Amino acid sequence: MTKLKAGVLGAGHLGKIHLRLLNQSEKYELVGFYDPDEANAKKVSEEFGYKRFDSIDALITECDMVDVVTPTLNHFMCAEKIIKAGKHLFIEKPIATTVEEAEAIIALAKEHHVKGQVGHVERFNPAFIAVRDQIHNPMFIEAHRLAEFNPRGTDVPVVLDLMIHDIDVILSVVKSKVKHISASSAMVISHSPDITNARLEFENGCVANITASRISMKNMRKSRFFQKDAYISVDFLEKKVEVVKMKDAPEVPGDFDMILQNAEGERRQIYFEYPEIHNNNAILDELESFANAIVNDTTPMVTLEQGTEALRIAKKIVSL
């Protein structure tokens, strides 16, 4: 397969990770990067040998795909330039600053017939991948994303920094529209909310209870999915999963079988599954999945529309 020529806009903490992975990838040829911070651009170029460009336009011209890893405030401006140049767009989450900008990005991509993918990396977490196909019509979901305090990222509410990961994951498995949202937040250290709890109610009856905090004493990224005859626990941080299922009890239970009997006399067996987890580099996988979508002309794993819907729900939570 001919390698796609890729460029990166933004060479900050995450941008440098994307540069390294694109440089390693067998699906991309890294053309170079642009960063408006002269000192940082010079340092990254000299330290890693990546070619730096003098302008966004100069970089875009050389690429098939451009990877936007800039502050969210610049997402729309970068996306507009990339799409109008007829180049494919990978853009970090959240897709844009406002829902209106996100919808404009979708419209531009359709008009110019280019593909776009949003960097909701937890979709590529090996723990989630291991059980994704077992999550069917969950009716209650509980998610906790807790982080120790880090000044980086406190310029935006914790919902847009952390919770949006879980919003996207939940929307990807609940095949129903959100009908009601309630939320409570607190500003403890920052000038924007540091901790938020949100409750999403879906038209099909599913309820998702989501908590995100960036002022916790320990890091945690866990989600639990409850559905008919199954409870599925996903630890995104530790890359662990546990599936607890129910089935009809055998006529003659084994010595260690866990059997429950209800008031009607029905007997059910509880059993545990621990699906095999195949470790991966989630960021590399999301970038390479986008390359596959471009080359094979298929739908990207996380579409611009899905990224926009996650932003829409996040913005509603922030407004409450």
Side-chain angles (χ1 to χ4, degrees):
M1 186 184 82
T2 304
K3 290 186 176 184
L4 294 168
K5 293 183 177 180
V8 177
L9 294 180
H13 173 73
L14 186 56
K16 283 188 282 197
I17 294 172
H18 280 231
L19 280 164
R20 174 173 56 82
L21 294 173
L22 286 169
N23 196 41
Q24 291 175 359
S25 174
E26 295 181 357
K27 297 182 184 291
Y28 291 105
E29 175 191 334
L30 178 63
V31 171
F33 73 99
Y34 170 75
D35 191 299
D37 184 326
E38 179 72 22
N40 183 59
K42 187 171 184 288
K43 182 182 177 186
V44 170
S45 181
E46 290 176 352
E47 187 174 344
F48 301 103
Y50 307 135
K51 181 179 178 182
R52 57 182 280 222
F53 284 75
D54 296 331
S55 69
I56 295 176
D57 295 324
L59 174 65
I60 292 172
T61 301
E62 298 294 320
C63 297
D64 301 312
M65 182 281 277
V66 183
D67 180 2
V68 178
V69 202
T70 67
T72 308
L73 197 63
N74 300 320
H75 279 194
F76 178 73
M77 179 271 288
C78 294
E80 185 178 34
K81 283 179 175 287
I82 292 161
I83 294 169
K84 284 185 173 179
K87 307 305 171 77
H88 301 291
L89 168 73
F90 184 96
I91 191 164
E92 261 307 316
K93 65 85 193 167
I95 181 174
T97 307
T98 66
V99 173
E100 290 73 23
E101 286 181 349
E103 289 174 339
I105 291 172
I106 292 171
L108 282 166
K110 287 179 179 176
E111 180 187 346
H112 292 273
H113 306 289
V114 300
K115 292 189 182 295
Q117 181 166 318
V118 185
H120 283 287
V121 71
E122 291 289 38
R123 296 267 208 110
F124 296 84
N125 188 299
F128 179 62
I129 290 171
V131 293
R132 181 179 56 201
D133 293 340
Q134 294 193 50
I135 302 174
H136 302 295
N137 197 32
M139 295 311 292
F140 180 67
I141 301 169
E142 193 165 41
H144 288 86
R145 187 166 295 260
L146 315 178
E148 296 175 8
F149 184 73
N150 181 344
R152 190 171 64 84
T154 55
D155 55 328
V156 296
V158 71
V159 173
L160 293 171
D161 184 29
L162 298 179
M163 186 183 282
I164 196 166
H165 284 293
D166 296 307
I167 293 170
D168 173 69
V169 166
I170 289 166
L171 293 178
S172 77
V173 298
V174 180
K175 308 305 181 187
S176 180
K177 291 182 178 180
V178 175
K179 70 172 184 178
H180 182 71
I181 301 172
S182 53
S184 179
S185 300
M187 289 181 283
V188 181
I189 297 174
S190 316
H191 295 298
S192 61
D194 294 303
I195 183 167
T196 296
N197 174 261
R199 177 184 169 93
L200 308 183
E201 297 177 32
F202 293 84
E203 290 179 353
N204 70 350
C206 177
V207 170
N209 190 25
I210 319 170
T211 301
S213 168
R214 58 185 176 209
I215 50 167
S216 297
M217 299 302 290
K218 64 176 183 178
N219 294 321
M220 177 192 289
R221 286 161 32 200
K222 286 185 178 179
S223 292
R224 302 169 182 86
F225 303 86
F226 298 84
Q227 62 195 42
K228 181 175 172 57
D229 291 339
Y231 154 71
I232 299 168
S233 174
V234 181
D235 189 328
F236 291 90
L237 184 62
E238 299 294 333
K239 312 289 193 294
K240 294 178 180 177
V241 293
E242 181 179 65
V243 181
V244 183
K245 288 187 174 181
M246 302 280 286
K247 63 181 179 181
D248 291 335
E251 287 292 329
V252 182
D255 291 340
F256 300 103
D257 287 349
M258 296 179 65
I259 308 296
L260 293 179
Q261 183 169 318
N262 63 16
E264 288 74 35
E266 295 172 333
R267 299 167 77 246
R268 303 279 280 163
Q269 180 183 350
I270 301 173
Y271 66 103
F272 298 83
E273 292 180 356
Y274 300 93
E276 186 178 357
I277 293 173
H278 301 281
N279 287 324
N280 67 340
N281 185 310
I283 297 176
L284 178 62
D285 279 7
E286 68 176 351
L287 289 166
E288 292 196 335
S289 80
F290 187 46
N292 292 336
I294 294 168
V295 171
N296 300 320
D297 192 22
T298 55
T299 303
M301 283 285 289
V302 185
T303 64
L304 298 176
E305 288 82 359
Q306 290 169 337
T308 299
E309 191 58 26
L311 177 64
R312 192 190 317 276
I313 299 299
K315 284 287 188 178
K316 286 182 180 178
I317 292 168
V318 170
S319 70
L320 295 173

